[in-house]
Amino acid sequence: MYKKGQKIRFKGRDGRIETIDSDTGAITSIYFFDTRRTESFIYLNQKQEQFMQLRQKDKTLIAGRGFGKSRVIGNKNHSRMATLPRAKFFFSSTTFAQLLTKTLPPVEEAWASLGLREYKGPNEPGHYVVGKRPPSQWERPYSAPRKYDNIITFWNGYTIELLSMDRPDLARGGSYDGGDIDEALLVKKEHIDKVLYPSIRGNRHRFTHWQHQELCRYSSMPWLAEGQYLLEYKDKAISMPKQYGYIEGTVMDNIDVLGQEYLERLRDELDPYTFSLEVMNEPVGKKKHGFYHALNDDYHSYEPQYVYAENDRLGSVAGMKDRIRTAALHMAFDFHGWFKCATVWQDRNNTEYCIDSYYRKENDSIDQLIDDICISYLDQKNKHVLVWGEPHGHDRTTFGGTVFDRIKAKFNKNGWHVEIMAPAKMSDLHSVRYELINEMLEENNPLLPRIKFNRDTCKAVLISMLNAEVNDKFQKSKADEKNKSFNQIYATHFSDTVDYYLMQKYGNRVHSRALPARGSNRVT
């Protein structure tokens, strides 16, 4: 009998692979195509195993980097395949790009460690096919899809349909035997409650196993206000333990696999903030005395929409819909000290969209930062960039020119036309920024635009703004910028690019407040 923490051996004999049915404890056999493989091993840490054994229909796993969430998703579906042949589950996330690039690859690695291989044809047999019609001799799910461009089908009819908020056209079936939601912190609760949850309704008369009609959420600790609802399931699991299961985990739960050296390396390389957020799974909160007190990270951010190209395996990400390729790009730069960064903007319908962000650290140059941007925007039809940013960029440097001269030359070399929009004046007073930026965020002044941030590509920008504190003189605290042990991605650099862009572009609309006289203190 299988015991906690024990390794499970899956033996292949005559084309069969043995697993343990977690419901009865009995050995079950699954048809195995590759008879050359003799055995494989898997290991589940205690928290992973606990989640695997939860029998509630509604389950939530919140865990940080290194815990092995993908291992759990892979093992969960392997177990369902054994116990629920011909069932149809879904993989869902905020975007199809998330599923293609982040969810599916490590899940397939988990399947491979269990002995499962992708079927490529009669000469390359396997156990599942991705994005195409399965072989005719395989079993079909009870609710067979009409098209297979977003489908994973296993040899015994167990089927996974990939769904996302940005591609509602893919949800053709509408009836599932259960599902998994990856990175649930970014999936709107309304979408789960109104679209995904009601779709788990099929085949009650065909399946009696406890894994049937389960919904599993997988997430790291929420960092946006919108994802905080996930923490409510902890209370639900306490008050309604028969209906809800909830587990939190960290890298420490997987230390036997990763090793103490891995943990120490993360602790050494990451600043305390990043380590607590991404590794130790500790909640992120908005600063009590925030410089951007009117920022609502839910309201002021938006779900990105991607452009997908078709190919023979689910497709690929071809670009983003929130970027207009025929319009000019605005970019705001901060190049203070050992950190250089830029935010990319486009405006339409009286709204400023922060669509992208880039950075370089330590000894990297501003030229490398611009090369990164130009490579990402090779398909931009209108290669016209308007540059905003730190007024110090107009100062003469040791190499003879100014930083803005260097930026312009580098963009020109990459085939871009450049306008330097940043004025050669002192930076605006912190108190003026504080007043005007928050007025924009409050959206009470018709002279000022709305502001929206892409929550996928501009996560660091939002966290930078959430981290920014204000003192009693309405000055933005820059202590983190001077602390080399703090991850500069989350310091106030990115927030300064937001200030530069919005103040320099719209300050003249409220001129008396936005443009202090020359000689006022610079921002450092």
Side-chain angles (χ1 to χ4, degrees):
M1 183 63 67
Y2 172 57
K3 297 179 180 179
K4 287 187 176 182
Q6 178 184 346
K7 293 182 179 178
I8 312 171
R9 176 175 293 180
F10 295 82
K11 294 182 178 179
R13 295 196 190 103
D14 300 323
R16 299 162 74 84
I17 182 170
E18 294 181 353
T19 62
I20 297 175
D21 186 326
S22 53
D23 186 28
T24 65
I27 295 293
T28 60
S29 294
I30 305 172
Y31 189 81
F32 190 74
F33 287 92
D34 187 358
T35 57
R36 295 170 296 177
R37 188 181 183 98
T38 58
E39 60 181 27
S40 62
F41 295 88
I42 64 167
Y43 170 81
L44 297 178
N45 65 52
Q46 189 174 25
K47 290 283 186 70
Q48 290 172 329
E49 184 203 336
Q50 286 175 0
F51 191 81
M52 289 286 294
Q53 298 298 329
L54 289 178
R55 297 201 176 196
Q56 295 90 339
K57 295 297 185 185
D58 191 301
K59 307 175 183 66
T60 301
L61 173 62
I62 297 182
R65 184 195 301 184
F67 173 83
K69 295 189 292 292
S70 298
R71 163 64 69 181
V72 178
I73 297 175
N75 283 27
K76 211 50 171 106
N77 281 276
H78 179 273
S79 176
R80 292 174 187 148
M81 181 191 64
T83 55
L84 301 170
R86 302 185 67 187
K88 184 170 70 174
F89 277 65
F90 62 73
F91 275 176
S92 182
S93 192
T94 175
T95 66
F96 205 70
Q98 167 75 27
L99 294 170
L100 289 178
T101 62
K102 297 179 181 178
T103 301
L104 191 56
V107 167
E108 288 194 272
E109 288 181 13
W111 289 342
S113 71
L114 292 167
L116 301 180
R117 297 193 312 164
E118 183 179 357
Y119 176 91
K120 299 294 182 65
N123 296 326
E124 295 185 67
H127 311 89
Y128 65 95
V129 294
V130 180
K132 61 184 179 182
R133 187 175 295 275
S136 59
Q137 69 270 24
W138 286 17
E139 291 283 351
R140 292 291 190 270
Y142 289 115
S143 300
R146 294 183 179 180
K147 295 184 178 180
Y148 289 84
D149 46 352
N150 64 316
I151 302 293
I152 301 172
T153 308
F154 288 80
W155 64 273
N156 67 348
Y158 179 74
T159 298
I160 300 170
E161 188 165 348
L162 275 62
L163 308 177
S164 63
M165 290 174 56
D166 69 334
R167 298 188 72 180
D169 58 301
L170 295 179
R172 301 185 183 97
S175 179
Y176 303 93
D177 296 296
D180 297 302
I181 304 173
D182 190 30
E183 288 304 312
L185 78 164
L186 297 177
V187 179
K188 293 181 179 295
K189 186 176 187 298
E190 182 182 17
H191 180 76
I192 296 174
D193 292 344
K194 292 186 177 181
V195 178
L196 298 180
Y197 227 133
S199 71
I200 302 175
R201 58 175 180 259
N203 296 317
R204 286 181 178 271
H205 60 294
R206 291 190 171 106
F207 298 110
T208 58
H209 195 275
W210 59 267
Q211 291 190 104
H212 186 240
Q213 296 199 338
E214 67 178 0
L215 176 67
C216 298
R217 300 177 190 84
Y218 304 88
S219 179
S220 51
M221 188 61 69
W223 58 275
L224 287 178
E226 186 177 53
Q228 297 298 317
Y229 78 92
L230 286 174
L231 303 180
E232 298 174 4
Y233 288 98
K234 186 174 184 177
D235 296 328
K236 290 183 178 181
I238 295 172
S239 60
M240 294 177 281
K242 292 185 178 180
Q243 289 82 23
Y244 296 93
Y246 180 92
I247 288 179
E248 289 184 8
T250 72
V251 66
M252 296 302 297
D253 296 302
N254 212 29
I255 199 67
D256 289 343
V257 174
L258 300 174
Q260 189 67 30
E261 290 184 2
Y262 173 81
L263 178 63
E264 294 304 321
R265 187 167 67 251
L266 287 179
R267 198 188 302 273
D268 292 340
E269 292 178 355
L270 302 177
D271 64 278
Y273 179 85
T274 308
F275 186 79
S276 63
L277 167 65
E278 297 188 5
V279 180
M280 300 311 294
N281 206 38
E282 296 176 0
V284 178
K286 186 176 179 179
K287 297 293 185 181
K288 185 176 181 180
H289 302 291
F291 189 85
Y292 304 93
H293 65 82
L295 176 65
N296 181 317
D297 51 29
D298 177 14
Y299 176 77
H300 292 109
S301 64
Y302 66 94
E303 289 290 347
Q305 291 190 323
Y306 292 88
V307 178
Y308 298 99
E310 295 184 4
N311 58 35
D312 60 352
R313 199 180 188 276
L314 295 177
S316 59
V317 180
M320 301 187 71
K321 289 183 179 179
D322 59 343
R323 169 164 56 102
I324 302 174
R325 289 173 172 76
T326 55
L329 296 172
H330 296 259
M331 298 184 193
F333 287 83
D334 181 89
F335 27 79
H336 176 72
W338 57 80
F339 188 84
K340 306 160 187 68
C341 63
T343 46
V344 184
W345 301 75
Q346 283 189 322
D347 61 281
R348 58 185 182 275
N349 301 324
N350 197 37
T351 301
E352 285 288 350
Y353 291 92
C354 187
I355 63 174
D356 221 337
S357 61
Y358 295 84
Y359 69 90
R360 280 279 184 162
K361 295 192 292 185
E362 299 298 333
N363 297 321
D364 293 343
S365 68
I366 194 74
D367 290 354
Q368 291 171 302
L369 175 65
I370 295 169
D371 280 338
D372 292 342
I373 297 172
C374 291
I375 290 171
S376 295
Y377 288 85
L378 280 174
D379 61 344
Q380 182 74 8
K381 294 180 179 179
N382 186 346
K383 286 186 167 55
H384 180 192
V385 58
L386 295 88
V387 174
W388 312 77
E390 168 59 66
H392 281 299
H394 288 288
D395 297 343
R396 304 294 293 183
T397 65
T398 56
F399 61 81
T402 70
V403 175
F404 282 127
D405 290 337
R406 189 171 178 178
I407 289 174
K408 184 173 183 178
K410 190 62 176 176
F411 270 116
N412 289 158
K413 187 175 181 179
N414 281 280
W416 288 72
H417 174 69
V418 182
E419 289 185 71
I420 303 299
M421 306 299 294
K425 70 175 187 64
M426 298 294 184
S427 296
D428 301 299
L429 289 170
H430 281 234
S431 58
V432 177
R433 293 193 197 184
Y434 177 83
E435 182 179 356
L436 186 59
I437 301 298
N438 282 295
E439 188 173 354
M440 290 184 183
L441 293 169
E442 289 169 349
E443 299 184 1
N444 292 325
N445 188 338
L447 295 176
L448 299 173
R450 295 184 292 270
I451 310 169
K452 297 288 185 180
F453 298 88
N454 183 315
R455 65 176 60 178
D456 188 2
T457 59
C458 300
K459 174 182 176 180
V461 182
L462 284 167
I463 293 180
S464 171
M465 296 175 73
L466 291 171
N467 273 339
E469 294 186 284
V470 64
N471 62 22
D472 55 2
K473 296 181 180 180
F474 299 100
Q475 294 176 325
K476 186 190 296 185
S477 172
K478 294 302 188 81
D480 291 336
E481 289 191 11
K482 301 171 183 177
N483 180 5
K484 278 200 171 185
S485 67
F486 189 86
N487 189 345
Q488 296 301 297
I489 298 172
Y490 299 138
T492 48
H493 304 288
F494 270 123
S495 74
D496 285 342
T497 70
V498 176
D499 295 354
Y500 295 142
Y501 177 63
L502 296 175
M503 293 296 299
Q504 292 170 6
K505 188 173 181 181
Y506 295 100
N508 62 347
R509 297 190 181 184
V510 279
H511 186 81
S512 61
R513 291 178 294 165
L515 299 176
R518 188 171 183 84
S520 301
N521 65 313
R522 291 179 184 261
V523 174
T524 58

